[in-house]
Amino acid sequence: MTEFQRVQNDPGAGRLQFLTIMIAISSMTHMVSFQWWTDLLTGQIVLGATLLIFLFPGSASALAVFLVCSIIHWFSLAPRIPNHVFFEMLVHLTLLSSLGLSLLNSRQRQANEASGDASPSFATTAFNLARPYMIIELIILYLFTVVHKLNFDFFNPEVSCAVSMHHDVAAFIPGIPEGPWTEWPTIIGTLLIELAIPILFIARRTRPFGLLLGIGFHLFLALHPHGGIYSFTGLLFTLYFLLLPDSSEDWLTSRWAKMPTVGRIVFKCVVIGGFFLTVYLQTLASGEGKPFADLNAIGFIAWLPLALLIAGAYILALIFGPRNEHDAKLSVDTSNSQAELRLGRLLWIFPILILINGSSPYLGLKTTTAFSMFSNLRTEGGQSNHVILPNVALFKYQEDLVEVLNSNDSQFEKLVDSGDLIPWFEICRMASKSEIADAEITCVRNGTTLVLKRGDLSKESQEAFTPHPWLAAKFLHFRSIRPFDQPQKCCW
C-alpha cells in the first residue's frame, strides 16, 4: 500500500503525521533560536528525538518519546524559559495525554472491530481527542496577550511595547514607516489584530480569515531582532495546522502523501542539512565572541525560507482544499464513541491550567511565563497599572518588594544600576545561588535597609541564602519593575 493509499484509508493518521512533522520543525526552530541545548544532555536527547519524529512521523511511539523528552528538557530549565515554550509544554502534555487516552481506549476499538463496527484508528482517535483542546489553549493564549496589554503604560507611547517593537523592526527593515504619527495606530492596531485573531478562531467559518491575519501578523513580528520571537511564530505555525478546515488539512496531507518518496527524502535532507549548517555557523560565531543577537540573526535567516514555505502551503490549502474535497476521504472531527468523549473530557485540565497560568499576575503569583510578554503589565506592590483588572493578591509574593543598593555579586549589578524593584522571592533565589563565599547584598525592604551576608545569623540573611523549595523555584519567577513614580518599561 502506498503512502497516499494509507492517507486515503485513514485521514486522521495523515493529519497526525503532518502535525508531527510540524512539531519537529518547531523544535528545530527553538534550537536555532535558543542555543542552550548544545551544552546539555537533555538538549542532545531532544535533538535525537526531534530527528526521529521528523524522519519517521508516522510512529506514534516516536512522537510520545519526543513529547516526554521535550517536556523534561524544558522543565529542567524552568523557570527561566520563554513564555511560549512554557505554553508549548502544556500543549505537549495535552497531545501526550491524548496518545495515552487513545491507548486506553484501544480495547474498546478492538471490540468494535470484532463485532463488525467501523472504528477510528489509534492515530485518528489521538488527533481528534487532542485537536479541540489544543485549539482552545491557543485561543486562551491569544486572549491573555490582549488582556495583559490593557494597562496604562501600554497606552503610553513613551514606553509602550507596541511602539518600541515597531521602532525596532523599522530600524531593522528599510521601508517600514516610522515616526510619531505611527505610535497610536501601532498601539491600537496591535490590540485590534491580537483580539481579532482569537475571535476569528472561535467559529469554524471564520477561522480561515483568522489564519490569514495571523500568518501575516506573526511573520511581521518575527522580523523583530529580539531573541525568540521567530521561535514563537514557528510554534504558532505548527498549531495553525489544527485550525485549517478538514478539507484543507486533508488536501495538505494528501499532497504530502502523493509526493514521490525521493521528493520527501530530499525535503527532509534539505531541512536537516540546513539545521545543522545553521547550528555550525552559530557555533563558529559564538566561538568568535559574537553576541546572542548575531546568533539569533543566523537562526532567523535559516528559518525564514521554511516559514514562508509553510505559510504558502497553508494559504494554498485554504484556497484549493474546499475545491478538492473529493481528493481526500474526510474523517469526523470529533470522537465517534461515548467512551472517547468521556476520555476526552479529562483533557480539560490543560486549558484550565493555561487559564490559571495566564491569571497568575492578578492572583499575586508569578509575573513571567504568564503570557504577559511585551505587555508593560505591572501588578506588584498593590499598584496595578491595569485599566480593568486589579491584583486580588491571593498570594503575597508580589507585595514584598526590594530595592538593591549594592552587592559584591555581579548578578545584582543590573538591579543596582537600574534602580528597579524586585520581589523578595527573587532576591532569595539569586542570593542562594551566589557562588561568592562572602556574598553580601545591601538592599531596602519595606522601608528598612538590610545588609544580607552569607553565614550571618540574622533572620533576613538566613532566609535570603536558603534555597526555595524545588517546586516553588520551578513555577514561580518574577521580573523586575520600575519604581512606581516611573512608567513600566517594556520587557519580555
Side-chain angles (χ1 to χ4, degrees), residues 406-422:
N406 194 19
S407 178
N408 61 352
D409 190 331
S410 60
Q411 66 176 326
F412 291 93
E413 286 181 0
K414 288 185 178 180
L415 292 171
V416 174
D417 295 339
S418 67
D420 284 357
L421 307 177
I422 193 168

Side-chain angles (χ1 to χ4, degrees), residues 200-201 203-213 243 245 318:
L200 291 171
F201 284 167
R204 292 175 184 271
R205 291 185 177 181
T206 58
R207 280 178 187 171
F209 303 103
L211 284 169
L212 293 174
L213 183 60
L243 290 154
L318 288 172

Side-chain angles (χ1 to χ4, degrees), residues 402-473:
V402 176
E403 179 186 1
V404 179
L405 303 178
N406 194 19
S407 178
N408 61 352
D409 190 331
S410 60
Q411 66 176 326
F412 291 93
E413 286 181 0
K414 288 185 178 180
L415 292 171
V416 174
D417 295 339
S418 67
D420 284 357
L421 307 177
I422 193 168
W424 174 253
F425 186 92
E426 287 302 319
I427 293 293
C428 296
R429 186 202 306 275
M430 297 166 69
S432 64
K433 290 186 175 181
S434 175
E435 298 179 354
I436 299 178
D438 58 345
E440 182 176 317
I441 306 129
T442 303
C443 61
V444 177
R445 181 190 185 193
N446 297 325
T448 302
T449 301
L450 303 174
V451 179
L452 309 173
K453 297 181 180 180
R454 189 189 299 276
D456 187 72
L457 298 180
S458 68
K459 177 184 176 182
E460 291 81 5
S461 291
Q462 290 292 312
E463 183 179 352
F465 287 93
T466 300
H468 292 305
W470 178 79
L471 200 59

Side-chain angles (χ1 to χ4, degrees), residues 1-272:
M1 183 182 293
T2 66
E3 183 71 18
F4 178 69
Q5 289 173 326
R6 282 193 290 268
V7 169
Q8 285 287 92
N9 292 333
D10 190 1
R15 295 177 183 181
L16 184 62
Q17 180 176 332
F18 196 92
L19 177 64
T20 300
I21 294 172
M22 293 301 302
I23 289 173
I25 291 173
S26 178
S27 179
M28 285 186 272
T29 302
H30 294 335
M31 290 182 186
V32 299
S33 184
F34 310 106
Q35 297 83 41
W36 316 320
W37 63 275
T38 56
D39 299 323
L40 300 171
L41 176 60
T42 56
Q44 304 297 329
I45 293 173
V46 169
L47 172 61
T50 299
L51 296 177
L52 180 66
I53 63 170
F54 188 66
L55 293 172
F56 305 101
S59 171
S61 299
L63 176 59
V65 169
F66 165 81
L67 294 172
V68 170
C69 293
S70 176
I71 292 167
I72 292 174
H73 168 65
W74 288 110
F75 189 73
S76 70
L77 297 174
R80 298 183 183 276
I81 58 176
N83 280 266
H84 66 279
V85 170
F86 186 88
F87 170 77
E88 184 187 62
M89 284 199 301
L90 293 172
V91 171
H92 282 179
L93 278 170
T94 305
L95 184 55
L96 181 64
S97 298
S98 76
L99 292 172
L101 292 174
S102 300
L103 184 62
L104 290 175
N105 195 46
S106 60
R107 291 185 178 179
Q108 179 63 42
R109 294 203 311 273
Q110 292 170 359
N112 290 341
E113 291 170 358
S115 62
D117 295 331
S119 60
S121 69
F122 172 86
T124 296
T125 300
F127 184 87
N128 287 341
L129 282 176
R131 183 186 187 188
Y133 298 98
M134 293 168 71
I135 291 174
I136 292 170
E137 290 161 4
L138 180 60
I139 291 173
I140 292 174
L141 171 68
Y142 265 112
L143 291 176
F144 269 120
T145 62
V146 176
V147 169
H148 291 326
K149 289 182 175 70
L150 298 178
N151 63 76
F152 293 106
D153 292 317
F154 188 81
F155 289 106
N156 180 353
E158 294 184 3
V159 294
S160 175
C161 285
V163 174
S164 63
M165 293 181 73
H166 178 82
H167 172 77
D168 292 341
V169 173
F172 184 66
I173 305 295
I176 295 179
E178 201 270 330
W181 66 273
T182 66
E183 293 175 349
W184 276 107
T186 298
I187 293 171
I188 302 302
T190 298
L191 288 172
L192 291 179
I193 292 173
E194 291 190 347
L195 179 60
I197 292 172
I199 289 177
L200 291 171
F201 284 167
I202 294 174
R204 292 175 184 271
R205 291 185 177 181
T206 58
R207 280 178 187 171
F209 303 103
L211 284 169
L212 293 174
L213 183 60
I215 288 171
F217 180 68
H218 288 289
L219 279 176
F220 177 78
L221 278 186
L223 298 174
H224 193 280
H226 187 279
I229 292 185
Y230 70 86
S231 170
F232 178 43
T233 300
L235 170 62
L236 292 178
F237 278 17
T238 294
L239 298 179
Y240 279 2
F241 174 72
L242 301 170
L243 290 154
L244 289 169
D246 291 351
S247 57
S248 296
E249 285 185 347
D250 291 330
W251 184 87
L252 269 180
T253 57
S254 64
R255 291 306 177 277
W256 172 258
K258 282 182 177 179
M259 184 185 297
T261 302
V262 173
R264 291 198 296 272
I265 292 175
V266 169
F267 171 77
K268 292 179 179 180
C269 288
V270 170
V271 172
I272 292 175

